[in-house]
Amino acid sequence: DTTHYFTIPAITPPKVIRYYIKAYDNSVNHNESTDPPGAPGVVYQFIANPPGVGSECSIAPERAYLKALPNPTVDRCVMQFGFPDRQPVSLVIYNVSGARIKTIIHETMQGGNYLYTWKCRNERGNRVANGVYFARFEFGGNVIMKPIGVIAK
């Protein structure tokens, strides 16, 4: 009945933190367990944000960016993106053939930092097949593309 704590070292949010728990005893049996089952192949994850920040951060970046974490992904990918000022933006997922799979955002937005979790599903809500997909982030006539690997559960 002992509780143990671990403090995650200082990080620069937003970041995806992946972890699992491994426990074993020092008895003759040397019992061992992981949580979630199957760790370290399977992990928990969460997005670390500074206190008071939800899905967006109020300080707009100087330059636009797009990140996709984790990559490759099993069942969800966190898209972090940001841009400096108000403008039309779109974030769309395409397959390797160039077919549109999922429109995440297509609107005029205030400059800032944003997060969106793509659950590896298409417009109809069906899980996409394993393979490589591309996140296309368009803002003010500029484009950033990132490949995203989707692998089997």
Side-chain angles (χ1 to χ4, degrees):
D1 291 337
T2 303
T3 302
H4 295 276
Y5 296 92
F6 177 79
T7 302
I8 297 170
I11 59 171
T12 303
K15 282 216 188 290
V16 175
I17 297 174
R18 293 181 290 280
Y19 66 97
Y20 67 93
I21 301 165
K22 183 175 183 177
Y24 62 93
D25 66 39
N26 290 327
S27 70
V28 174
N29 297 329
H30 296 291
N31 294 315
E32 182 176 297
S33 180
T34 62
D35 190 26
V42 177
V43 296
Y44 292 116
Q45 69 181 34
F46 67 91
I47 300 170
N49 280 324
V53 175
S55 61
E56 55 188 82
C57 181
S58 61
I59 301 171
E62 292 180 20
R63 295 182 3 204
Y65 69 92
L66 171 64
K67 295 179 183 179
L69 301 167
N71 195 1
T73 185
V74 175
D75 62 354
R76 66 188 63 222
C77 184
V78 176
M79 313 296 244
Q80 295 177 239
F81 60 96
F83 47 94
D85 51 15
R86 181 177 172 82
Q87 57 191 293
V89 298
S90 69
L91 179 59
V92 181
I93 307 296
Y94 292 90
N95 66 15
V96 293
S97 300
R100 184 180 51 138
I101 300 300
K102 174 81 175 173
T103 299
I104 296 170
I105 292 172
H106 185 76
E107 62 186 79
T108 298
M109 298 175 68
Q110 294 295 332
N113 300 285
Y114 298 88
L115 297 173
Y116 177 86
T117 300
W118 177 49
K119 296 181 180 176
C120 300
R121 300 196 175 272
N122 63 19
E123 296 286 6
R124 291 185 220 123
N126 300 322
R127 188 181 193 292
V128 299
N130 295 347
V132 177
Y133 295 83
F134 294 91
R136 183 178 192 272
F137 176 47
E138 186 173 352
F139 56 97
N142 299 299
V143 174
I144 298 174
M145 292 194 63
K146 294 284 182 186
I148 302 170
V150 176
I151 55 178
K153 273 189 169 180

